[in-house]
Amino acid sequence: EVQLVESGGGLVQPGGSLRLSCVGSGFFVTGSNMAWLRQAPGKGLEWVSGVNSGANTRYADSVWGRFRISRDNAKNTLDLQMNNLKPEDTAMYFCAKAERRTGLIPTTPESYAYRGQGTQVTVSS
């Protein structure tokens, strides 16, 4: 059974940093198409960043240059380093896994069949 558990969220001031982590079980993170999604209050689910099994990465324009997605093979985790955070980054962040492995990195939330419970990130002074 695929399970995803996120951690690392919290309250941070604008310009600050946070590192999110997602532990996967029932599969190998390195062998999967993985992504971070987010949902701001009153808005729909948004794709933030993705990585494929070949370690290729992709980012939404809104976070490019500030966020970095990575994997830890030993811990079977997917991480998201978030720097220079802005109030508009405030959202619930979800770790997600696609049903099938592909070379392309899907950029739509519905492309990811599995999702964790989420971790809240609030950027405010």
Side-chain angles (χ1 to χ4, degrees):
E1 179 187 3
V2 171
Q3 290 190 333
L4 301 163
V5 179
E6 303 94 337
S7 63
L11 173 64
V12 63
Q13 292 187 342
S17 298
L18 279 176
R19 186 176 182 87
L20 306 183
S21 188
C22 168
V23 179
S25 59
F27 72 102
F28 292 109
V29 168
T30 55
S32 305
N33 278 62
M34 302 291 298
W36 285 96
L37 312 175
R38 68 184 181 185
Q39 187 165 23
K43 296 189 176 181
L45 200 57
E46 176 189 17
W47 174 86
V48 175
S49 179
V51 58
N52 64 10
S53 59
N56 299 299
T57 59
R58 196 170 178 182
Y59 299 90
D61 290 344
S62 59
V63 306
W64 191 88
R66 300 188 297 121
F67 290 11
R68 182 175 179 272
I69 192 170
S70 63
R71 305 173 303 187
D72 186 317
N73 298 348
K75 297 178 181 178
N76 205 40
T77 60
L78 178 74
D79 300 323
L80 186 68
Q81 177 66 41
M82 305 186 296
N83 299 323
N84 190 22
L85 282 161
K86 304 176 180 180
E88 51 263 43
D89 294 319
T90 295
M92 183 71 78
Y93 283 72
F94 301 92
C95 172
K97 176 189 177 304
E99 182 74 60
R100 294 180 178 82
R101 183 174 63 184
T102 64
L104 296 176
I105 298 174
T107 61
T108 55
E110 54 267 25
S111 298
Y112 297 88
Y114 304 94
R115 203 167 74 203
Q117 293 299 307
T119 185
Q120 178 68 37
V121 172
T122 302
V123 185
S124 175
S125 55

